[in-house]
Amino acid sequence: MDPIACTGHGACADLLPEVVRLDEWGYPLLTAGELPAGLHRPARRAVAACPARALLLERASTPGPRTAARQALPGQLTGSTQDRGPQ
């Protein structure tokens, strides 16, 4: 999540309440960790619905078998965790 771009519309929390909750000012806080496989489609929907384009779905990565480059694995939403508040 891009906290600078986020304007607090809350569409992500409406579409993906299992992972996104809103703080007291209406800004999203994301649950840390891997996104469960059953939530990939709703997560893509939430990313697409963000009016500020502040939410991003990234693939987790680990070192590949042939090189030190990183390979894409199942995704997770990026942004702040539940434990972090606005800065």
Side-chain angles (χ1 to χ4, degrees):
M1 182 182 77
D2 180 350
I4 303 296
C6 181
T7 53
H9 286 94
C12 53
D14 288 341
L15 293 170
L16 196 60
E18 301 88 349
V19 178
V20 182
R21 69 177 178 85
L22 300 179
D23 67 13
E24 61 268 22
W25 296 284
Y27 288 88
L29 299 172
L30 306 177
T31 302
E34 284 291 316
L35 185 64
L39 294 179
H40 287 185
R41 180 174 283 172
R44 286 191 299 271
R45 196 173 303 127
V47 168
C50 179
R53 300 290 184 233
L55 196 60
L56 176 66
L57 183 62
E58 289 185 337
R59 294 191 180 272
S61 56
T62 60
R66 293 185 182 171
T67 66
R70 299 178 80 68
Q71 287 185 329
L73 295 175
Q76 72 182 73
L77 285 169
T78 61
S80 60
T81 64
Q82 288 193 108
D83 298 330
R84 283 182 51 196
Q87 296 180 3

